[in-house]
Amino acid sequence: MEKRIIVAIDGHSSSGKSSMAKQLAKKHAYLYIDSGAMYRAVALYCLRKGWIRASGLDQAALSAGLKDIKISFCSTGGKLPRICLNGDEVENEIRGMEVSGVVSLVSAVPEVRSYLVDIQRSLAKDKGVVMDGRDIGTAVFPEAELKIFLTADASVRAKRRYLELKDKGMDASYEEILHNIEMRDKMDLNRKASPLRKADDAIELDNGQMSPEEQDAWLETRFNEAVYGNNRN
Ligand code: DC
């Protein structure tokens, strides 16, 4: 039987990690886990509870209330797993600008990170998983067989996100998205707990000028190298 591996895809906000991860998982019948969706779901819970105000996040309330937040993935109709918060699917709600604007505050809290990292590890116990995020190759699965670090210029990423949201019929302005992406880059790179950085053994890809087909071919080569060794391609 073919060896099943863990694929860690990290990189900047909106660099195309989730499209890449979904495509790879589908092709090889692997489980796809969007770790960013888990942080977004916790942020949504905080917003609902009123723990995020102009003055910032009420960290004490969040740390004490973490045990009441159940994050899982529910499969509906055999499609990709969708994020659930305390049993309710919240996939659409977590993608809007309100959650995007506050999620970095939540993901900087060490207790939130260790809570979600435990869930992420348990989801991958049987391997055969593609997980995307910021710290998957560095903190969650330092032993992953394939690590990719994706990047592209902030303006390219903002344009992609803008088109994606418009396509879903969601309200968005390009400037607002660019600002949000730059802010999240800054917070992801500078936070104390598991900041965004490329693992030493990750393969970096700037996909700013790449077509989806070129990226798919590149990825397939990397995957085969990780599963079968370097001689296969
Ligand atoms: O990938 P995304 O934009 O949906 O991620 C949402 C936020 O969660 C983003 O600001 C960074 C944070 N995040 C993180 O800190 N660690 C991860 N493994 C995934 C996401």
Side-chain angles (χ1 to χ4, degrees):
M1 207 177 110
E2 186 180 285
K3 178 170 122 186
R4 287 166 72 76
I5 63 169
I6 292 180
V7 183
I9 303 183
D10 291 304
H12 294 99
S13 289
S14 302
S15 55
K17 298 181 298 292
S18 66
S19 307
M20 181 187 243
K22 275 181 208 160
Q23 186 270 341
L24 186 67
K26 188 170 172 212
K27 180 155 188 188
H28 296 280
Y30 272 33
L31 182 64
Y32 164 61
I33 303 289
D34 174 357
S35 68
M38 301 169 81
Y39 289 94
R40 286 172 177 269
V42 175
L44 177 63
Y45 187 88
C46 293
L47 283 169
R48 286 180 177 171
K49 284 281 181 189
W51 293 341
I52 302 176
R53 292 181 284 271
S55 54
L57 168 69
D58 185 342
Q59 279 208 33
L62 173 55
S63 300
L66 206 49
K67 60 180 185 335
D68 301 320
I69 310 178
K70 299 279 170 278
I71 303 293
S72 58
F73 287 91
C74 20
S75 294
T76 36
K79 296 207 199 90
L80 281 168
R82 296 171 77 82
I83 188 82
C84 286
L85 171 60
N86 290 338
D88 293 328
E89 198 215 291
V90 289
E91 191 65 46
N92 286 336
E93 275 175 279
I94 61 159
R95 305 290 165 194
M97 292 305 290
E98 201 187 0
V99 169
S100 297
V102 300
V103 62
S104 297
L105 293 173
V106 170
S107 63
V109 178
E111 288 95 334
V112 172
R113 301 204 71 83
S114 58
Y115 180 63
L116 294 183
V117 167
D118 282 350
I119 302 175
Q120 289 154 9
R121 290 193 180 133
S122 70
L123 290 168
K125 63 183 185 325
D126 298 328
K127 296 215 173 188
V129 165
V130 185
M131 194 174 295
D132 72 337
R134 304 293 189 290
D135 61 341
I136 310 303
T138 51
V140 184
F141 301 119
E143 75 291 1
E145 289 86 349
L146 176 58
K147 299 181 187 179
I148 293 168
F149 190 85
L150 261 192
T151 185
D153 191 76
S155 61
V156 174
R157 290 183 277 135
K159 193 165 166 211
R160 282 192 200 138
R161 189 69 143 202
Y162 172 73
L163 294 174
E164 207 179 283
L165 288 178
K166 265 189 76 172
D167 203 45
K168 286 186 185 156
M170 293 170 88
D171 205 22
S173 90
Y174 170 80
E175 279 70 30
E176 196 186 344
I177 292 171
L178 179 61
H179 173 75
N180 174 258
I181 282 182
E182 288 173 341
M183 183 204 75
R184 284 200 287 150
D185 280 357
K186 208 165 137 196
M187 291 189 72
D188 287 346
L189 289 163
N190 294 312
R191 70 166 171 245
K192 283 208 184 78
S194 303
L196 171 66
R197 67 168 181 81
K198 177 184 160 303
D200 292 339
D201 53 350
I203 310 168
E204 184 162 351
L205 179 69
D206 182 333
N207 66 3
Q209 306 301 323
M210 256 182 161
S211 70
E213 295 73 25
E214 285 169 335
Q215 183 173 289
D216 288 354
W218 180 91
L219 182 61
E220 194 54 19
T221 306
R222 302 286 88 76
F223 181 83
N224 285 331
E225 284 168 359
V227 174
Y228 302 105
N230 276 320
N231 303 327
R232 160 101 174 205
N233 288 286

